[in-house]
Amino acid sequence: MPACTGTMKMSPLVLWFHKLGSPPYFYRLAGRFLPWLYAIALVTGAVGLYGGLVVAPADYQQGDSFRMIYVHVPCAWMSLFVYAFMAANSFVALVWRIKLSETLAMASAPVGAAFTFITLVSGSLWGKPMWGTWWTWDARLTSELVLLFLYLGVIGLYHAIEDARQAARAAAFLALIGVVNLPIVHYSVVWWNTLHQGQTVSLMGQSKMSSSMLWPLLTMAFATHVYFFASLLARSRAALLALESGKEWVRGIAQTQEAHAHG
Amino acid sequence: MAEFLHMGGYGAYVWAAYTVFVVVLFADALMPLWQRRNTLREIDARLRRESNRKSTP
């Protein structure tokens, strides 16, 4: 029996992946991770913000206004990272039709939009004192605004279609098309001569920043990543309950929860 | 303290940026809690309706 031997040969990792794809297992596992993720994000976020506001010295050119970097840049990184994550899950959802990937893709859109929104607002607040304007149609700013519209488009399309799984696939398709915008956002400061400055921190090679200014930024980058996964898991859990509302495991949760709520 | 809040004249911009960051992410953290509670409430209400219908023919 070839099918049987196939199962036998499955490695523990593959088996675990299959198990993870099952909504009740994912729901329980995510529930166990969530408090820790929130706690880690909160503590490292508080340390990072303290470092940025208090410990880091004022910039010799921009004075204290440069402290906006500690919210602006981590959120800008997350706006791209979350989109890439959403697109990767959309790809898996469209090709292999895995329900959990649909859920993860759709659950990352709102938090991605939140990070993009913060990036645009904090950038605007930084632009006013440094460039003398709240907004300019510069390549970096415009492509980041397009990124926000892409997120909103994905969210909107997902909520516009009645059938949740069909909606997720349509929105996943839109998310995949929008990937074109990611390199444009990233390289906009290189390809065009823009008002927005080039990158200060680089993954490979030397960062153009002193360590006392750099560590709060990296701490914030870590905190926002952890927060993203917390938000993602929390939203996925809520979405899975709604998607599987007819299933036995969800009924059990609803009854015990509401029994507690009613006293 | 006043000097710290003043941020070398950039206080309004710096604090506004940090406030937006905290408020938006806080709202984002609340949304799934609210969504989850609503879903569970709806399911529980539906189950109650179904069991009522069964017990009173």
Side-chain angles (χ1 to χ4, degrees):
Chain A
M1 290 178 287
C4 190
T5 48
T7 330
M8 298 280 277
K9 273 181 192 156
M10 261 193 203
S11 71
L13 187 70
V14 174
L15 273 175
W16 181 75
F17 245 81
H18 274 263
K19 220 171 141 192
L20 192 65
S22 116
Y25 180 76
F26 179 87
Y27 182 90
R28 254 178 302 157
L29 194 70
R32 219 172 297 152
F33 278 119
L34 259 184
W36 293 100
L37 291 176
Y38 277 127
I40 293 168
L42 203 64
V43 171
T44 54
V47 170
L49 289 185
Y50 177 79
L53 283 170
V54 182
V55 183
D59 185 65
Y60 80 102
Q61 275 184 327
Q62 299 198 1
D64 284 310
S65 78
F66 105 100
R67 295 184 196 283
M68 280 183 268
I69 199 174
Y70 299 110
V71 300
H72 180 70
V73 169
C75 287
W77 285 339
M78 289 315 290
S79 70
L80 296 177
F81 176 81
V82 175
Y83 200 95
F85 181 89
M86 179 173 78
N89 275 285
S90 296
F91 182 79
V92 174
L94 287 173
V95 175
W96 290 286
R97 307 213 155 196
I98 296 172
K99 199 187 221 173
L100 184 64
S101 299
E102 289 169 15
T103 307
L104 289 175
M106 292 307 115
S108 41
V111 62
F115 280 125
T116 312
F117 177 77
I118 299 169
T119 305
L120 287 165
V121 172
S122 62
S124 181
L125 286 162
W126 201 356
K128 185 61 185 167
M130 289 300 113
W131 304 336
T133 178
W134 299 104
W135 182 263
T136 166
W137 295 101
D138 144 303
R140 174 53 77 77
L141 278 67
T142 308
S143 54
E144 186 76 11
L145 185 65
V146 169
L147 190 67
L148 180 65
F149 289 153
L150 281 169
Y151 276 121
L152 297 180
V154 168
I155 297 168
L157 191 55
Y158 181 53
H159 289 289
I161 300 172
E162 189 81 45
D163 180 78
R165 296 208 61 185
Q166 241 174 1
R169 277 198 288 274
F173 189 68
L174 176 63
L176 268 185
I177 295 170
V179 168
V180 190
N181 191 43
L182 290 190
I184 299 178
V185 174
H186 185 77
Y187 292 108
S188 54
V189 289
V190 184
W191 292 343
W192 292 281
N193 189 9
T194 58
L195 193 52
H196 193 285
Q197 67 180 83
Q199 63 175 20
T200 316
V201 181
S202 95
L203 220 52
M204 269 76 73
Q206 202 71 30
S207 295
K208 306 181 196 87
M209 207 177 187
S210 78
S211 62
S212 60
M213 287 176 169
L214 187 60
W215 77 259
L217 186 62
L218 298 179
T219 309
M220 284 309 290
F222 177 78
T224 46
H225 273 83
V226 176
Y227 177 76
F228 160 63
F229 284 105
S231 179
L232 171 76
L233 293 186
R235 267 211 188 75
S236 302
R237 269 163 58 94
L240 284 175
L241 286 181
L243 271 177
E244 305 250 290
S245 61
K247 301 268 169 72
E248 196 52 49
W249 70 275
V250 178
R251 287 180 188 199
I253 293 168
Q255 277 163 338
T256 48
Q257 285 276 322
E258 288 303 300
H260 280 297
H262 292 301
Chain B
M1 190 63 195
E3 200 188 330
F4 174 64
L5 291 178
H6 189 58
M7 284 281 160
Y10 298 113
Y13 300 110
V14 173
W15 294 114
Y18 277 68
T19 307
V20 168
F21 175 78
V22 172
V23 169
V24 170
L25 290 187
F26 187 70
D28 176 80
L30 287 183
M31 266 201 281
L33 287 177
W34 177 78
Q35 205 182 336
R36 182 171 173 276
R37 206 192 51 191
N38 276 1
T39 305
L40 288 177
R41 236 176 232 173
E42 271 167 36
I43 296 167
D44 184 63
R46 198 188 66 212
L47 291 176
R48 272 162 205 269
R49 274 199 307 274
E50 280 169 10
S51 69
N52 282 349
R53 213 174 295 150
K54 265 176 220 157
S55 57
T56 51

